[in-house]
Amino acid sequence: MKIVQCDFLAGVGDPASFPPPGLPEVAFMGRSNVGKSSLLNALLDRRHLARIGSTPGRTRQVNFFRVNGACLFVDLPGYGFSRVSRSLRARWKDLVEAYLNRPASRRLAILIVDARHPLTEMDREMIDWLQARRMPFRVAANKTDKLSRNEWQKNLNLNLQEIHRPGLLVPCSAHTREGIPKLWAAIDGMLHETTPTH
Ligand SMILES: Nc1nc2c(ncn2[C@@H]2O[C@H](COP(=O)(O)OP(=O)(O)OP(=O)(O)O)[C@@H](O)[C@H]2O)c(=O)[nH]1
Ligand SMILES: [Mg+2]
């Protein structure tokens, strides 16, 4: 898709305030600091649309961006950030679950994991959850620029084998833009429903 226009639609901290469902949605989810906002910006070729932080837990709301008037990109707050209170963690869970349970005409989830590490418990829970709900998704293994080819192959074989299925796992870098065309192919597939998205 050629991006002609994208803008911030809403930042929502309360499940009662989500925008009404209508347009297809691409949801960015994953551990805190893994690069969700950075990948969203890279896909849209905008540097500062979604706020990027060096402090984990930067995105605390569900942020909606309208793309070409054709779909919504949804930046979800990250999980697994250890230095937050239990009540904040519970709020996170309520908010993300409410978003995922919200009806959407069509939806693709992009679960972002760290290309350098094994999956976390929460990553696995997210995958199980997406599969149980039959929600189409991709796993974007981000920050590949921090690895040599050999190191990436090693982590892939050692730690990411369980999700290494053709089309599902997309090695990515928001910095070098590796994987961006593959993610776009998945998004376009969802939008046009010409190719299966799961
Ligand atoms: N080297 C490298 N750094 C990255 C990449 N993607 C993101 N980062 C860096 O990782 C840090 C976190 O990026 P964000 O995009 O804010 O991560 P996030 O997942 O949105 O974080 P939260 O909103 O806190 O959950 C920033 O310092 C980014 O510059 C990447 O592909 N390569
Ligand atoms: Mg973020």
Side-chain angles (χ1 to χ4, degrees), residues 33-38 53 57-59 142-143 145-146 174-175:
N33 215 38
V34 77
K36 296 175 294 299
S37 303
S38 302
R58 194 89 176 79
T59 313
N142 193 35
K143 307 198 186 186
D145 59 284
K146 292 204 174 197
H175 287 191

Side-chain angles (χ1 to χ4, degrees), residues 71-156:
C71 65
L72 299 181
F73 275 27
V74 185
D75 193 12
L76 292 166
Y79 49 73
F81 178 47
S82 51
R83 271 172 297 160
V84 298
S85 64
R86 191 174 297 182
S87 68
L88 201 66
R89 220 172 292 175
R91 234 197 67 191
W92 174 89
K93 200 163 182 279
D94 286 349
L95 190 63
V96 172
E97 274 182 6
Y99 168 73
L100 291 171
N101 285 326
R102 170 177 166 275
S105 60
R106 266 174 279 164
R107 181 150 48 197
L108 175 72
I110 299 185
L111 173 68
I112 297 144
V113 301
D114 196 312
R116 299 167 294 176
H117 304 303
L119 298 181
T120 67
E121 188 88 4
M122 286 285 281
D123 293 334
R124 283 211 184 80
E125 272 179 35
M126 259 350 287
I127 291 171
D128 289 347
W129 195 96
L130 291 166
Q131 279 172 337
R133 302 284 165 116
R134 298 184 167 277
M135 192 181 287
F137 71 101
R138 293 290 182 279
V139 180
N142 193 35
K143 307 198 186 186
T144 52
D145 59 284
K146 292 204 174 197
L147 294 171
S148 68
R149 279 282 128 199
N150 273 348
E151 287 168 331
W152 161 243
Q153 268 309 324
K154 211 162 142 193
N155 195 37
L156 181 63

